Amino acid sequence: MDYMARHAELRRDPRSLLPSARSVIAVSLNYYQDAAPKGGEPRIARYALGRDYHRVVRGKLKKLQAWLTSEHAGAECRICVDSAPLLEREIAHRAGLGWFGKNTMLIDSRTGSWFLLGFLLTSIEFEPSKPSLGGCGTCSACIDACPTGAIVHAQGRWQVDARRCISYLTIEHRGAIDQPLMRAIGDWTFGCDVCQEVCPFNQPRESQPDRATSTQEPDFLSRRQWPNLKELAQIGDDEFKRLAAGSPVARARPDGIRRNAQINLENK
Ligand code: B12
Ligand code: SF4
Ligand code: SF4
């Protein structure tokens, strides 16, 4: 993730991405779905079960951009979904979409944290929203449940040590993984949802029926049939690329997915 350091300066000001920007519109999209893998199947984080969210969210923001520019002649816009250097969670927090949990996820007290973010920078000036208010209180469920101890308190706030996070290890990390971390990865083949699964703000209650409701976005629903772990541990490069086309799972690359499936088999 060297790109994070390279773009640190740009990230500070959205006007480095759109010089005429006066407002940032932040949106969130629920991706929650039941995701228990059947015996022998790979375990894939919920956000990656359907079509690549960058494309899904971008598609929706394009419609918003078309409408905005038809209403405001001459308005300039730029869509950003993860790909551009932008402090996404900071902006979404200021826009009222959620507050920072100890697991570093943005959490909405009413709906929880199973949402992805997208942004539309625009030269149109809007009345700013109010930042989201909330907090974890004395809860430490995610810290206790994280299989690798990746949620740490440093520099005065809770952070995820990406080097220990299963999401980083199974998606971004290239090459071998240290033995103790390999064991802790358990059955996660791509990404990890543990620190959200245990979060009380993701548990529906009678008074909070909007938490962990299934996504209404058909593109997010799991449709792909993945090979079982034994097959995945030996999958050919071309076969993986064909299967993973248009899915976030493509990011792990064939080497990565073979390594992850092998780890899952050894952890059984
Ligand atoms: C790098 C990255 C990762 C890394 C590191 C994550 C981390 N927590 O540090 C890895 C690969 C581990 C990862 C994993 C996941 N990620 Co990720 N990731 C990113 C990415 C691309 C950049 C985040 C980043 O490091 N930014 C740079 C730093 C400087 O910014 P920051 O972390 O937001 O922190 C700044 C401010 O927000 C603020 N801040 C941070 N914490 C706090 C706390 C308080 C109290 C306050 C006041 C301020 C504050 O101060 C910081 C410094 O300025 C973002 C998209 C993006 N472009 O932002 C997605 C993003 C954060 N990821 C996302 C998701 C969904 C995930 C996973 C759930 C995927 C999965 N299931 O495997 C996991 C969750 C793991 C976890 N608990 O965080 C979503 C989160 C949505 C949400 N509801 O919060 C994002 C926003 C993508 C998106 N467009 O929706 N991710
Ligand atoms: S995604 Fe998994 S490994 Fe990463 S911080 Fe959350 S629980 Fe820990
Ligand atoms: S599990 Fe508890 S400590 Fe972790 S983010 Fe949720 S409320 Fe906060």
Side-chain angles (χ1 to χ4, degrees):
M1 294 193 299
D2 294 348
Y3 62 92
M4 299 295 302
R6 278 200 303 277
H7 294 148
E9 203 47 50
L10 283 175
R11 218 177 288 281
R12 284 183 214 288
D13 188 349
R15 280 170 297 196
S16 61
L17 299 166
L18 180 73
S20 61
R22 301 292 299 149
S23 309
V24 182
I25 301 170
V27 298
S28 64
L29 191 56
N30 171 24
Y31 62 89
Y32 184 79
Q33 59 194 289
D34 199 19
K38 296 188 197 82
E41 282 180 0
R43 188 179 199 101
I44 294 170
R46 289 170 176 78
Y47 88 94
L49 288 167
R51 191 166 165 244
D52 189 345
Y53 73 90
H54 300 92
R55 298 186 198 188
V56 178
V57 178
R58 181 171 287 276
K60 291 183 183 299
L61 286 171
K62 271 191 179 161
K63 289 186 187 157
L64 179 61
Q65 173 174 350
W67 177 75
L68 270 180
T69 46
S70 71
E71 294 281 314
H72 298 260
E76 291 190 292
C77 296
R78 178 165 174 181
I79 295 168
C80 299
V81 185
D82 234 5
S83 50
L86 197 66
L87 277 176
E88 295 198 348
R89 283 179 292 193
E90 183 68 43
I91 294 171
H93 169 240
R94 290 192 202 180
L97 294 184
W99 42 270
F100 290 94
K102 290 178 187 165
N103 60 6
T104 75
M105 299 300 291
L106 215 61
I107 300 175
D108 176 273
S109 299
R110 197 175 52 82
T111 60
S113 66
W114 298 109
F115 57 82
L116 293 157
L117 299 172
F119 301 86
L120 184 71
L121 280 53
T122 172
S123 57
I124 308 165
E125 188 152 1
F126 288 110
E127 187 73 25
S129 311
K130 288 199 174 66
S132 207
L133 293 176
C136 298
T138 54
C139 177
S140 62
C142 56
I143 300 158
D144 303 339
C146 174
T148 57
I151 304 173
V152 293
H153 200 262
Q155 294 146 332
R157 65 180 174 96
W158 289 98
Q159 303 199 32
V160 167
D161 179 351
R163 294 164 304 181
R164 300 187 66 80
C165 177
I166 295 170
S167 180
Y168 166 76
L169 291 167
T170 56
I171 301 173
E172 305 280 346
H173 181 73
R174 311 288 167 224
I177 295 174
D178 292 345
Q179 187 67 29
L181 289 173
M182 261 171 55
R183 296 293 304 163
I185 283 173
D187 64 351
W188 288 102
T189 316
F190 183 91
C192 169
D193 282 337
V194 173
C195 56
Q196 296 193 87
E197 286 169 350
V198 300
C199 180
F201 287 94
N202 285 330
Q203 315 305 325
R205 292 204 300 240
E206 219 173 300
S207 58
Q208 297 289 357
D210 294 334
R211 289 177 181 167
T213 54
S214 278
T215 179
Q216 298 296 306
E217 175 50 58
D219 275 346
F220 280 165
L221 294 176
S222 168
R223 288 217 194 90
R224 228 166 283 253
Q225 188 65 50
W226 293 100
N228 66 36
L229 287 170
K230 275 190 188 147
E231 290 160 353
L232 208 53
Q234 293 175 16
I235 195 167
D237 289 8
D238 292 341
E239 176 66 355
F240 175 72
K241 282 179 195 155
R242 191 186 60 76
L243 265 176
S247 151
V249 178
R251 178 103 183 148
R253 302 192 193 161
D255 276 351
I257 215 72
R258 285 192 289 262
R259 175 203 59 198
N260 299 348
Q262 187 58 40
I263 292 173
N264 299 154
L265 287 169
E266 285 167 22
N267 283 338
K268 267 180 181 269

